[in-house]
Amino acid sequence: MSGLPLEGLNAPLTALVTLQAEFPHLPAPTVSISTIFPEALALKFYDDDYSAAGFAAFEAWREALDIDPLTVVHSVQADGRTGVLGAHGAFAGAVVELVAYVTVQAPESASTARVSIPACHTH
C-alpha cells in the first residue's frame, strides 16, 4: 500500500480535468496516473489496424500542449513490429507524457521480396 494520500496526485488529476475542459474534441487517450511518479500524467495512444491513427492522435495532442516537435523521440521496439513516439511537456502543474504505439508492417523477407534483374546479354 502506498503511503501517498490521494491529494498527492493533485497535479495530474487537475491536469486531466483541465485537459478535458480545454480539449474535449481531441481523441481520447488511455490515461495513466501512478503513485510512483505522482507529478506525471501519461496519455497513451494505440493502433491495432496498421492505420497510424495513434500517431495522428499523438500529434494532435502534441500540438495542443505546445510540445516542441524537436523533442519527440521515435523508436521501434525490439520486436521490430511496434513503432513508438514519445514526448514530455508541462501542463497545469503536471508533467504530461505522450506515447503512441503503432504496429509496423513487416518488411518483405529476402526470399519473398521482388527483385528486378537486368536482362543479361551474351555475345
Side-chain angles (χ1 to χ4, degrees), residues 9-108:
L9 299 175
N10 279 349
L13 290 171
T14 299
L16 182 59
V17 170
T18 306
L19 287 172
Q20 188 277 330
E22 290 189 25
F23 307 110
H25 60 284
L26 290 180
T30 296
V31 176
S32 178
I33 296 172
S34 170
T35 57
I36 297 169
F37 301 106
E39 71 288 343
L41 171 65
L43 306 178
K44 297 183 180 186
F45 307 90
Y46 299 88
D47 275 338
D48 293 325
D49 61 1
Y50 302 96
S51 70
F55 281 179
F58 173 97
E59 181 59 15
W61 278 99
R62 186 206 57 76
E63 286 182 2
L65 296 173
D66 198 29
I67 296 173
D68 184 349
L70 296 177
T71 66
V72 174
V73 176
H74 174 263
S75 63
V76 177
Q77 290 184 345
D79 66 359
R81 302 287 315 267
T82 306
V84 182
L85 290 180
H88 294 83
F91 182 80
V95 174
V96 178
E97 175 188 25
L98 297 179
V99 182
Y101 301 95
V102 176
T103 302
V104 177
Q105 291 189 9
E108 293 184 67

